[in-house]
Amino acid sequence: MRERAVSLPALTEIAHRAVARAFEARALPKGGDGVPAFPFAVDATAGNGYDAVFLARQVGEGGLVAAFDVQEAALAATRDRLAAEGLLGRVRLVRSGHEHMERELARLFPALELRGKVTAIMFNLGFLPGSDKAVTTAAPTTVAALDAASRLLTYGGVLSAHVYTGHRGGMEEDRAVLAWSAALSPEEWRVLSLSQPNKARNLERLILAERLFPKGKGGAGRP
Ligand code: SAH
């Protein structure tokens, strides 16, 4: 039986829309020092590769995506999906925990100073569907990775974190991600939290955080 379509968008769709807007805004000619020569994005949890494909489209030809995962199965699925779309050339697959993203990016791209230059960073937390449910993201490493991501993001850049609580440690991870987002300075970040308040089990949450341009710099400043 086909499921009836619902009208409200899925959280994934909202995340993609928000990230796409960061790329649209960045595409406007701004000039100035420190503007990277090409768009760069990070997929912090490659999983089945849907976000890597999405980000590879967003960065465009000449742009780059780094996609992290600790599982070879996830990186293989992501590689296949990217190859099928002809997008593999835009993505570096990194078998490493996202909590090490700054170190790994410095190692992989020694010529690039990516701090404050990344347009979008996406997290899709939990376990890889159809695989080993014992391998999940976890609050301490997720929070370390979110901290790293917040340092990498450019002004106007968007970070998304899609939390799934349907695994052991999922509720703790949700609380940790929400607390992390709540601690971001409102002067520097615009933060949205979308969740399902009427769901007691397996609720999902989407945190969106945009790094705001500093006030008084006329929108031209960059980190
Ligand atoms: N719950 C989502 C999918 C999440 S996939 C859904 O239902 O669609 C999450 C991915 O994160 C998995 O592939 C897993 O291997 C990966 N992962 C777990 N810990 C990680 C870490 N420390 N760094 C990077 N990826 C990690």
Side-chain angles (χ1 to χ4, degrees):
M1 197 173 75
R2 264 187 87 220
E3 266 188 58
R4 192 184 289 270
V6 294
S7 298
L8 289 179
L11 296 187
T12 307
E13 190 181 334
I14 297 172
H16 283 186
R17 188 73 201 106
V19 165
R21 283 172 65 98
F23 281 98
E24 286 161 20
R26 198 194 162 285
L28 299 170
K30 285 197 195 84
D33 291 339
V35 178
F38 54 83
F40 199 100
V42 173
D43 182 349
T45 47
N48 282 319
Y50 295 107
D51 287 339
V53 165
F54 168 76
L55 288 171
R57 290 217 173 89
Q58 291 297 314
V59 296
E61 233 183 306
L64 267 182
V65 179
F68 290 83
D69 208 292
V70 290
Q71 289 192 77
E72 190 48 47
L75 293 173
T78 301
R79 189 180 295 116
D80 288 350
R81 203 172 296 281
L82 287 163
E85 303 284 341
L87 294 167
L88 197 51
R90 299 180 191 177
V91 183
R92 298 291 172 280
L93 299 165
V94 193
R95 184 158 183 195
S96 165
H98 42 217
E99 62 277 19
H100 307 302
M101 70 170 75
E102 285 171 306
R103 183 190 76 198
E104 290 299 309
L105 292 175
R107 185 177 67 80
L108 284 165
F109 307 102
L112 297 180
E113 172 49 60
L114 288 169
R115 198 182 170 108
K117 304 276 178 67
V118 177
T119 304
I121 305 181
M122 301 186 74
F123 289 78
N124 203 318
L125 302 167
F127 57 83
L128 180 66
S131 145
D132 185 357
K133 290 190 182 176
V135 182
T136 72
T137 55
T141 40
T142 297
V143 167
L146 289 168
D147 279 335
S150 70
R151 291 186 289 265
L152 289 166
L153 215 61
T154 185
Y155 296 139
V158 167
L159 183 160
S160 74
H162 194 155
V163 185
Y164 294 79
T165 58
H167 62 92
R168 193 201 279 270
M171 291 302 282
E172 182 195 346
E173 188 172 34
D174 181 50
R175 278 193 296 275
V177 172
L178 186 60
W180 177 86
S181 74
L184 292 170
S185 153
E187 310 288 314
E188 294 171 40
W189 296 87
R190 174 166 155 77
V191 183
L192 298 177
S193 163
L194 283 139
S195 69
Q196 299 160 304
N198 61 347
K199 248 191 127 178
R201 296 183 62 232
N202 298 346
L203 77 83
E204 294 171 44
R205 182 190 305 280
L206 177 66
I207 295 287
L208 295 169
E210 173 176 356
R211 189 171 188 193
L212 300 171
F213 282 88
K215 287 207 179 77
K217 282 205 180 173
R222 295 225 159 221

